[in-house]
Amino acid sequence: MNEDGMYCIDGGRPFVERLTEMASDAMAVVAWGACASWGCVQAAKPNPTHAVPIDKVIRNKPIVKVPGCPPIAEVMTGVITYVTMFGRLPDLDRQGRPKMFYSQRIHDKCYRRPHFDAGQFVEEWDDEGARKGFCLYKMGCKGPTTYNACSTTRWNGGVSFPIQSGHGCIGCSEDGFWDKGSFYDRLTGINAFGIERNADQIGLAAAGIVVAGIAVHAGITAVRQLTTKPKDTIKTIASEPTDKNAG
Amino acid sequence: MGAQTPNGFSLDASGKRIVVDPVTRIEGHLRVEVNVDEHNVIRNAVSTGTMWRGIEVILKGRDPRDAWAFTERICGVCTGTHALTSVRAVENALGISIPENANTIRNLMQLALQVHDHLVHFYHLHALDWVDVVSALKADPKATSILAQSISRWPMSSPGYFKDLQTRLAKFVESGQLGPFKNGYWGHPAYKLPPEANLLAVAHYLEALDFQKEIVKIHTIYGGKNPHPNWLVGGVPCSINVDGTGAVGAINIERLNLVSSVIDRTLEFVEQVYLPDVVAIAGFYKDWLYGGGLSSKSVMSYGDIPEYANDYTDKSLLLPRGVILNGNLKEIHEIDLNAPDQVQEFVAHSWYKYPDETVGLHPYDGVTEPNYQLGPKSKGSKTDIQSLDESAKYSWIKSPRWKGNAVEVGPLARYIIGYAQGKAEFKDPTDKLLTDLGLPLTALFSTLGRTAARALECQWAAQKMRYFQDKLLGSIKAGNLATANVEKWDPATWPKETRGVGFTEAPRGALGHWIRIKDAKIDNYQCVVPTTWNGSPRDPKGNIGAFEASLLDTPVADPNQPLEIIRTLHSFDPCLACSTHVMSPDGQEMAKVTVR
Ligand code: SF4
């Protein structure tokens, strides 16, 4: 938001003005992606443009956060159809994320979890363990602290998800994931059996942090006049509405 | 008022000024201002990148092995290209070589991206510059079917299919909800297709929407997700196991079959839908050969798709490498990305600060320090720009130059260089296309040429996907399973100080990342991206970049509906390093146009 918002210009004016105008007649705003939800990559330290998430710009509306870089397409569709179909906003967790997709960790539903529990880890890229599909915890997997649906819903029509294709989770739906050390640093403070408690503490701590970072990059959806005209209720500023990211 | 640029274009800013901002159906934020003369012919053009996100500043002090994930997020659509460029830069700096299979899989991912990007760009971002959706309502479905079957053996071509589609389209239009088709100057005199060709193209627009979900599965299999698949310094993260315990969780025969079937469908779609469509559409626009700009003078390609792992020389790179200057197709200049006097970035007209702005900086020594200010002749205020002053700073894009020359990059540049090198893979399809259309070689240097080269390249890339998938299968059959080299994974093995460069040919053109590493951390990181080359503002000598050059001398039928401007800009597939799109319930917002 430095330079009066002129790092992102739309029609000769700061994009942020457009954002506020669009949201003014909305009943709720859906923050698509890690950018709108947390600020994401442009808000990573030292955040040169002073990017902030949507809830730092729009303060008088309910905000539904659908984080992820990007979020899973099926999850985005799910959130929108939930609102149009049931005529209400989904249940949200403390951080404003729909519980139906964000209440469990990648680790909770990861198919490599038995290897974690058995202490069978990938020790090096493409080692014997990697070829056998062992747990990626030692390669820096952030699955134990990341709340998202990847390990269940998977990606692009259920074809795979990062861990299935051999790379640890980088935690791209978590607030400030860019600034939590290298993607290959091992998570600390997570014991094989104490994990429930530890991860919950992490969740609590994250909820208490003032979200520091916006979100001109991804998109928002303003949900308006919800009860009267369901067909016209959705106003979307999507990252890629009709094309490349939609798949 | 006229002026001559050193690179051979005449500019005259005395006429009426037209402002288009934002230019829609592109990736990111672009503003364009042009001056037209009394016949509404463009005589001056000013292109402005309107967003800065500061990724390069953010990378300082981080682990070089993480850089791919940051740079990948520079763009939501050429997802992966930046990541690939980044891991190559780090590997170059640290002297890491990758296994053959990793090179093959990376090529497959890069080629899948090329195909996906070209296809989506044509149908969803560019076709509506040529295709009038509303006119499709007047088409005779039977005649459309005959047309479709005359250009391709694609099976979805019955009269009933087109009739049904037309009925749905009519309902759409009647309800006033054009949805994705809202964004067009329907009925504009610059649309030349008969109703049947328009209907055919609309059908394929919708089919391509479906199809693009298929091709990204290649990224999902090898990289875990799309957009933004995962990469790895030293190779690729996925392991291969086709025999033993746990194969089910690795790249196994089921995964390989899935990739193969996606490649088969890709070849079908590109060869039976995309390419015939482009040829058919081009046939109706043979008289509209504007928009060549820099392409007939100076073009550049770094080359890409190494046949052999770790060999980035001309003989290994399947996409051509070199520079052509001043239209001399007989001489291909060699590129050295480490040479301080070759690639340089200038900021005299960009919203950045250099100690001395008359000189350019090589990316190793690049500085990215914002400095937002408007020139004295600009109108409006700093937060409400009416019109810009191009004699001062006017863009968030820097001006990269190759030995001081502005160059065009992208599929057309690659094809011109491949053609000039006499490489049959590029020359023969180009000659065939030109002969089929009855056009001379010079017709290639145009908006239409750019669009056609992209389609030809899409076919080339699809064929190469088949080639590399077969190569991978052969390698696995021979017992070669390695996908990563971890010798230098540990930062303790790295030199105290080093630097390196990585390059790719992104769908939109030459892309380079330059990295300096010090004490295992990133000391400096600079990306010079394709749209920076094409969309660059003027340099201190006054050379104009490809976007600005391409708009000159184009007649605009109606300054309030500058379809011609949008058409030519879209032909570059501009990507302004940000992907904010604005959509309302009734479809995408139109470009805002102001005439002064
Ligand atoms: S650490 Fe990662 S790979 Fe291992 S079980 Fe948990 S989520 Fe899966």
Side-chain angles (χ1 to χ4, degrees), chain A residues 106-107 110 112-113 116 134-137 141-144 163:
Chain A
I106 302 297
H107 188 71
C110 178
R112 298 194 182 202
R113 179 67 181 268
F116 177 89
F134 285 178
C135 168
L136 289 159
Y137 168 70
C141 182
K142 306 292 185 276
I163 291 165

Side-chain angles (χ1 to χ4, degrees), chain B residues 357-400:
Chain B
E357 296 190 355
T358 59
V359 298
L361 295 179
H362 185 270
Y364 276 137
D365 307 308
V367 174
T368 304
E369 199 187 323
N371 176 23
Y372 176 61
Q373 48 169 268
L374 300 178
K377 281 179 272 167
S378 62
K379 297 195 186 105
S381 72
K382 261 183 109 176
T383 54
D384 190 3
I385 304 165
Q386 305 296 324
S387 75
L388 286 157
D389 175 3
E390 63 269 26
S391 69
K393 290 182 183 290
Y394 66 92
S395 180
W396 281 116
I397 297 181
K398 294 180 186 174
S399 304

Side-chain angles (χ1 to χ4, degrees), chain B residues 235-285:
Chain B
V236 288
C238 56
S239 286
I240 299 168
N241 183 350
V242 291
D243 294 301
T245 312
V248 70
I251 297 300
N252 57 37
I253 195 69
E254 174 266 334
R255 304 269 94 180
L256 292 165
N257 284 343
L258 184 47
V259 173
S260 280
S261 75
V262 172
I263 293 174
D264 288 344
R265 270 174 286 164
T266 303
L267 270 164
E268 265 171 29
F269 197 87
V270 171
E271 291 182 342
Q272 295 179 30
V273 182
Y274 180 14
L275 212 55
D277 279 0
V278 169
V279 178
I281 291 172
F284 292 98
Y285 285 96

Side-chain angles (χ1 to χ4, degrees), chain B residues 9 124 182 192 208 247 304 321 360 404 446 451-452 472 490 493 549 586:
Chain B
F9 297 94
H124 305 134
K182 177 95 192 277
K192 302 285 183 215
D304 200 352
R321 176 176 173 89
S446 64
T451 301
L472 181 64
D490 184 355
T493 61
D586 36 4

Side-chain angles (χ1 to χ4, degrees), chain A residues 16-241:
Chain A
V16 62
E17 283 183 16
R18 278 278 291 277
L19 183 62
T20 343
E21 280 165 21
M22 293 187 61
S24 62
D25 54 351
M27 70 162 271
V29 172
V30 184
W32 289 132
C35 294
S37 299
W38 315 128
C40 198
V41 66
Q42 49 270 308
K45 281 171 193 156
N47 191 357
T49 57
H50 193 187
V52 299
I54 273 166
D55 56 3
K56 294 282 126 186
V57 179
I58 295 156
R59 292 159 181 279
N60 55 349
K61 310 275 171 187
I63 310 250
V64 180
K65 292 185 171 182
V66 185
C69 193
I72 303 170
E74 288 85 347
V75 164
M76 296 169 55
T77 315
V79 170
I80 278 297
T81 39
Y82 181 98
V83 176
T84 52
M85 191 79 80
F86 304 130
R88 58 169 190 260
L89 296 178
D91 277 358
L92 305 179
D93 70 3
R94 276 187 303 253
Q95 298 190 48
R97 303 173 292 195
K99 278 188 184 162
M100 55 187 169
F101 296 118
Y102 291 92
S103 56
Q104 285 184 307
R105 288 158 291 225
I106 302 297
H107 188 71
D108 296 332
K109 291 281 158 74
C110 178
Y111 77 106
R112 298 194 182 202
R113 179 67 181 268
H115 295 295
F116 177 89
D117 293 338
Q120 294 172 317
F121 298 104
V122 176
E123 305 282 345
E124 235 175 29
W125 297 110
D126 199 31
D127 66 1
E128 207 44 43
R131 291 183 191 174
K132 286 184 175 161
F134 285 178
C135 168
L136 289 159
Y137 168 70
K138 290 191 176 176
M139 306 315 289
C141 182
K142 306 292 185 276
T145 52
T146 302
Y147 290 78
N148 204 341
C150 306
S151 51
T152 312
T153 308
R154 307 200 180 197
W155 278 79
N156 310 107
V159 168
S160 185
F161 74 110
I163 291 165
Q164 187 176 348
S165 295
H167 198 285
C169 165
I170 66 169
C172 73
S173 54
E174 288 298 311
D175 186 10
F177 76 98
W178 297 107
D179 293 320
K180 292 184 171 163
S182 165
F183 301 124
Y184 305 103
D185 285 350
R186 221 174 278 178
L187 284 170
T188 48
I190 290 167
N191 310 313
F193 301 103
I195 185 151
E196 299 301 327
R197 215 181 107 237
N198 272 327
D200 282 343
Q201 287 167 343
I202 290 163
L204 271 173
I209 293 168
V210 178
V211 182
I214 194 183
V216 281
H217 168 234
I220 63 159
T221 292
V223 184
R224 41 176 198 177
Q225 301 164 344
L226 191 60
T227 44
T228 49
K229 277 165 66 197
K231 261 207 124 184
D232 294 334
T233 53
I234 310 256
K235 191 168 185 179
T236 304
I237 308 179
S239 42
E240 294 304 318

